[in-house]
Amino acid sequence: MEQIVDLHCHSIFSDGVLTPEELYKRAIAAGVKVFSLTDHDSIAGMDRLYLANSDSNILVVGGIEFSVRWKKYNIHILGLNIDVANLNLVAMIKTQKERRIARAKKISGLLENCGLENGYAKAYKLAQHDNIGRVHFAKLLISEGIVADMQSAFKYYLGENKKAFVPTSWITLAEAISVIQDAGGNAVIAHPLKYKLTRTKLFELIEDFKLAGGEALEVVSGDMEIKDIQMLAKICMRFDLLASSGSDFHGDKMSKVLIGRQKLLPEICTPIWHKWSFN
Ligand code: AMP
Ligand code: MN
Ligand code: MN
Ligand code: MN
């Protein structure tokens, strides 16, 4: 029997709504046996997650979801089973954070032209930390009555090439993979079908990812159709990659799939967590 796992979710330390302790409780209640917290470009919630871990039946591993630039695309790379005390990792996160803050200030400037004043200060207040993301601006646009919902916020303002979109020079694919490996972890391409790449481009990404030391595809990620899961499983076989699985849970209102409730990995996949120790 396949184990219940969740290797992708977000806390209040990025754009999620639950604390690490609340996520941990949800994971235990859902019967999750291998768990990670993967905040965007942040490991700030990991200490609290480790402290909350009082159950010897669950393996909690260090995690992060890096925003990465590959060619002209923004790709998300998960670092799993990382040592969150690794100094190179900490330095890389600092670089990302500076870029994120600079981006947030630029987004705020663009939103000023759309009738939203003091966007940066308001987003900071809403997030209660400086790891500000587009979801915080989306929530702001909703609370200010500029858009009705999250989808519209991205469709008209924050999505790629929309009114308040700011291209960002995130770290490269190779930099992300290299620092994940330096921290003893495994690099995974998050939600490979979300980038809307052609098959040729997706294969190019996978080739580059593998060459740089990447090890797995997130075959099951949040709400997915079985046919897409099977397609990704086959791509794993073709490229000799391991498979990962996660809910990408952000909060009850924001996510269709709750912690640990994503579909199971196809039998043909080799789960990435089989590499990790269980004692
Ligand atoms: P950021 O890392 O700040 O660029 O924000 C990326 C996050 O925005 C993703 O992880 C999602 O949580 C959210 N997001 C991206 N696109 C959409 C969308 N179309 N609708 C709702 N949320 C989105
Ligand atoms: Mn997010
Ligand atoms: Mn993502
Ligand atoms: Mn995510």
Side-chain angles (χ1 to χ4, degrees):
M1 253 301 277
E2 176 79 48
Q3 268 174 320
I4 300 176
V5 307
D6 198 334
L7 302 172
H8 188 165
C9 68
H10 298 269
S11 78
I12 52 166
F13 288 97
S14 63
D15 53 8
V17 300
L18 297 186
T19 63
E21 293 83 1
E22 286 165 338
L23 291 166
Y24 179 79
K25 273 192 206 146
R26 297 269 192 120
I28 295 288
V32 169
K33 295 290 180 257
V34 192
F35 185 57
S36 193
L37 169 63
T38 53
D39 278 314
H40 297 288
D41 305 301
S42 173
I43 50 164
M46 279 308 306
D47 285 351
R48 278 173 59 175
L49 181 63
Y50 284 136
L51 269 176
N53 185 11
S54 52
D55 187 331
S56 57
N57 291 317
I58 184 170
L59 176 70
V60 175
V61 297
I64 191 162
E65 182 174 16
F66 269 126
S67 311
V68 157
R69 192 82 180 161
W70 175 75
K71 303 200 168 165
K72 61 177 180 163
Y73 304 95
N74 294 310
I75 306 293
H76 286 177
I77 298 293
L78 297 168
L80 297 177
N81 200 29
I82 47 171
D83 169 11
V84 296
N86 179 280
L87 293 180
N88 291 326
L89 178 76
V90 170
M92 186 73 66
I93 290 169
K94 186 164 175 279
T95 305
Q96 284 286 86
K97 192 169 185 173
E98 286 161 4
R99 292 175 190 180
R100 196 172 265 279
I101 291 172
R103 180 187 71 155
K105 289 181 176 162
K106 284 187 196 157
I107 293 176
S108 175
L110 291 174
L111 287 174
E112 198 103 9
N113 306 330
C114 308
L116 189 127
E117 284 179 7
N118 288 323
Y120 183 80
K122 288 174 182 163
Y124 187 99
K125 198 167 171 213
L126 203 140
Q128 295 185 8
H129 55 67
D130 56 6
N131 194 30
I132 298 169
R134 286 183 288 162
V135 166
H136 302 113
F137 283 106
K139 287 184 174 171
L140 203 57
L141 286 165
I142 298 167
S143 73
E144 300 264 326
I146 296 174
V147 295
D149 52 40
M150 188 78 79
Q151 282 309 319
S152 314
F154 279 89
K155 188 172 169 198
Y156 298 109
Y157 295 94
L158 302 162
E160 204 110 344
N161 304 322
K162 302 301 158 105
K163 277 185 220 169
F165 182 75
V166 175
T168 309
S169 57
W170 299 119
I171 55 173
T172 65
L173 182 68
E175 282 173 322
I177 296 169
S178 150
V179 85
I180 288 165
Q181 289 187 320
D182 192 70
N186 312 109
V188 180
I189 300 180
H191 42 67
L193 300 182
K194 272 209 179 162
Y195 315 110
K196 301 197 165 60
L197 303 174
T198 60
R199 204 170 165 80
T200 313
K201 266 277 171 292
L202 178 61
F203 286 2
E204 246 178 70
L205 168 65
I206 292 173
E207 296 277 9
D208 284 358
F209 172 75
K210 273 205 76 164
L211 274 174
E215 292 177 73
L217 295 188
E218 193 177 42
V219 170
V220 181
S221 178
D223 188 30
M224 277 179 70
E225 290 185 25
I226 301 232
K227 68 167 181 23
D228 289 334
I229 292 173
Q230 283 168 343
M231 180 179 78
L232 287 177
K234 280 190 197 142
I235 296 177
C236 276
M237 305 306 288
R238 174 174 177 156
F239 288 92
D240 194 22
L241 287 165
L242 301 171
S244 190
S245 174
S247 61
D248 203 3
F249 180 78
H250 284 71
D252 291 323
K253 282 190 204 145
M254 287 165 75
S255 307
K256 277 196 198 148
V257 177
L258 302 181
I259 292 285
R261 296 291 191 222
Q262 74 280 12
K263 295 187 176 85
L264 293 179
L265 278 185
E267 295 273 334
I268 55 164
C269 292
T270 307
I272 187 152
W273 58 93
H274 285 187
K275 292 187 84 161
W276 308 333
S277 81
F278 280 87
N279 42 45

